Amino acid sequence: MNAISGKQSDRINWQVIVLFALGFWLSGSLLLDFVIVPGLFAAGMMSQVSFASAGYLIFGLFNRIELVCAALVLTGFLVLNRRQLLPSRQQRWSFVLSALLLTIAIIYTYVFTPQMSSLGLQLNWFESSNAAMSPVMAQMHGFYWVLEGLKFVAGATLLRWCYRDSCSLMG
């Protein structure tokens, strides 16, 4: 373990990495949820037959980016906890919240995106597409928004803690 936590890792500023990863991730989520998806809906793209495969491509790519950001956040807070740069109460909760963020990213990547895309696929090309959303899809959308709310609350809390602590370390 001494080889990992030697002089080499002391040069890495994990607070900056965590701040960047959280900022990038949360702003990307806001952009996707409140600009791109409503724009696609307004343009009528969601009623197209090929939207399920396009949605899988868009969300699948973003979900992989979310996994990387969540892993960076969890790693960063584990390092910050090891260096004891956070108050003791924040040390416990930062691990819990960053693990929650990683869990949400895993659920999006390996459960929601494949399942929602498969529900949206039209497998019979000779059948007309039904524009109404299925009850299962509506339920999954509701659960998605609950997880998004949790992600934004947990991410904003961690971002605030890390930013406040990085400012107090500089001053």
Side-chain angles (χ1 to χ4, degrees), residues 123-143:
L123 299 177
N124 188 352
W125 288 1
F126 301 113
E127 195 176 284
S128 66
S129 67
N130 187 2
M133 187 183 298
S134 72
V136 175
M137 181 71 90
Q139 184 180 21
M140 289 188 80
H141 272 90
F143 193 57

Side-chain angles (χ1 to χ4, degrees), residues 13-35:
N13 190 345
W14 281 99
Q15 285 181 315
V16 171
I17 292 172
V18 168
L19 285 170
F20 176 76
L22 278 171
F24 176 74
W25 182 12
L26 294 178
S27 64
S29 290
L30 287 172
L31 183 70
L32 189 68
D33 289 341
F34 297 112
V35 176

Side-chain angles (χ1 to χ4, degrees), residues 131-154:
M133 187 183 298
S134 72
V136 175
M137 181 71 90
Q139 184 180 21
M140 289 188 80
H141 272 90
F143 193 57
Y144 170 81
W145 284 107
V146 168
L147 287 179
E148 277 295 290
L150 281 172
K151 179 175 79 173
F152 285 124
V153 168

